[in-house]
Amino acid sequence: MVREALKSLNIKKSDIIKGGVKEAIELVSNKKSPPYLIIDVSKSELPVSDLNRLADLCDPTVNLIAVGLRNDVGLYRDLMRLGISDYLVKPLFSDILNHSLK
């Protein structure tokens, strides 16, 4: 799904790494922050805390998009206060992901 969305937006250079917040933290700890990070928080028990740690490591210009299982307005608001660009509920659809990446 992510590859399809990137292709439709003509984004040619991208890395897709399976995992969640832990893997994203390792990525940004060892490299320059990418322009977009799409993070699956489905397995996170404390997604707000986990994403807060990640956001602290990222360049402020990074667009962080969180993906999870819960359709929860409270969670959405907490993530927006952290500066997360968007929160999408699974299953993902390419048009919704495209809209978040624009």
Side-chain angles (χ1 to χ4, degrees), residues 9-73:
L9 293 170
N10 204 27
I11 297 172
K12 294 179 178 157
K13 186 178 178 191
S14 63
D15 293 322
I16 298 175
I17 300 167
K18 290 185 179 186
V21 177
K22 179 184 173 207
E23 290 77 13
I25 287 172
E26 289 174 15
L27 175 75
V28 298
S29 294
N30 298 318
K31 287 183 173 181
K32 181 182 175 223
S33 300
Y36 294 94
L37 272 175
I38 302 169
I39 309 298
D40 188 341
V41 295
S42 301
K43 295 181 181 175
S44 175
E45 291 183 31
L46 300 169
V48 175
S49 296
D50 290 344
L51 286 170
N52 189 38
R53 284 188 294 133
L54 176 61
D56 285 345
L57 294 171
C58 289
D59 185 278
T61 62
V62 172
N63 290 304
L64 285 170
I65 300 170
V67 177
L69 295 171
R70 297 182 356 213
N71 190 359
D72 181 337
V73 173

Side-chain angles (χ1 to χ4, degrees), residues 47-48 51 66 74-84 86-87:
V48 175
L51 286 170
L75 173 60
Y76 177 82
R77 288 180 179 154
D78 288 342
L79 295 178
M80 294 305 105
R81 278 192 282 273
L82 285 179
I84 305 301
D86 206 351
Y87 175 72

